[in-house]
Amino acid sequence: MIPRPEDLIRVLPETIWCIFGVVMMLIQPMTRNRHVLSFFAILGTILGTSASIYAYQTVGTGSAFSSLIQFDSFSIFFHLLIGLVSILVVLGAGPYLERENLESAEFFALVLFATAGMGVLSSAQELLTAFIGLEMSSISSYVLAGYRRDTLKSSESAMKYFLLGSFATAFFLYGIALVYGVTGTTNLAQMANADTSGNLIKLGLALILIGLGFKVAAAPFQLWTPDVYEGAPTP
């Protein structure tokens, strides 16, 4: 099935962020100039963030890809917020990477991929789409946490983050499986009409919340945070 033009426009921010993430990896062998790499990274983050405004002005709000994506005021707000944060991270990372003598291209590429994953998550109208967006962001974050490969604390940070993130992913997926078993769908809009009186769906939703709680370090699932933050690069 060929996507509609408006569907492609509604995922334009994520597309731009991913394209520039690939571009960062492709241009690394061609140049070691940190200013050139920073320029492309900043350009990608700004264009992706601006694409959210362009998509809203061009096609407005609505669903895309058979209701897998919902482009509305909620997702637009978080696209702009995530994009702004990514711009600040790229701007702040340049001097840090130069001081620590770390490669810039991979760092900026991972930031762009993580930003794209967060954009997918904020637009997800379906639980499996949310899972894909969450894992795009998480896998990039695991690598970023251990980006200082020669530092023991950084390696410890990445390992702890990866292991606990994997547990969180298992909780999240098992919760999705239980919710799907009860409702027969993973679409959030269709779940609104499901019977929520049973204990099984409550257990499924609880597991989903536990998985998300681990991911965002919400109490009481925040115990991994100090060790990971201690070893992760500051930006």
Side-chain angles (χ1 to χ4, degrees), residues 129-214:
T129 306
F131 170 73
I132 291 171
L134 187 63
E135 288 310 296
M136 280 180 63
S137 173
S138 296
I139 292 171
S140 300
S141 300
Y142 299 152
V143 183
L144 285 171
Y147 199 72
R148 296 185 299 166
R149 293 184 291 271
D150 297 330
T151 305
L152 185 60
K153 284 186 177 180
S154 188
S155 300
E156 179 187 356
S157 166
M159 181 59 69
K160 288 182 177 180
Y161 194 14
F162 171 72
L163 290 175
L164 289 170
S166 300
F167 282 120
T169 298
F171 279 112
F172 189 75
L173 276 177
Y174 193 44
I176 291 175
L178 289 176
V179 170
Y180 175 74
V182 174
T183 63
T185 181
T186 54
N187 187 282
L188 298 178
Q190 296 175 12
M191 284 182 193
N193 302 319
D195 180 18
T196 58
S197 60
N199 291 327
L200 200 58
I201 191 170
K202 293 177 182 177
L203 176 60
L205 292 174
L207 290 175
I208 290 174
L209 289 175
I210 289 172
L212 292 174
F214 267 109

Side-chain angles (χ1 to χ4, degrees), residues 22-41:
V22 174
V23 167
M24 293 302 303
M25 294 188 292
L26 291 177
I27 66 174
Q28 184 196 9
M30 304 176 190
T31 178
R32 293 288 179 176
N33 191 316
R34 294 182 182 272
H35 297 295
V36 174
L37 297 172
S38 297
F39 169 77
F40 276 100

Side-chain angles (χ1 to χ4, degrees), residues 3-12 55 58-60 62-65 71:
R4 300 175 301 169
E6 54 265 32
D7 290 356
L8 297 176
I9 293 175
R10 286 182 176 129
V11 296
L12 188 60
T58 305
V59 297
S63 61
F65 297 100
F71 194 73

Side-chain angles (χ1 to χ4, degrees), residues 45-61:
T45 53
I46 291 176
L47 287 178
T49 307
S50 303
S52 302
I53 301 173
Y54 170 78
Y56 174 71
Q57 293 176 340
T58 305
V59 297
T61 59

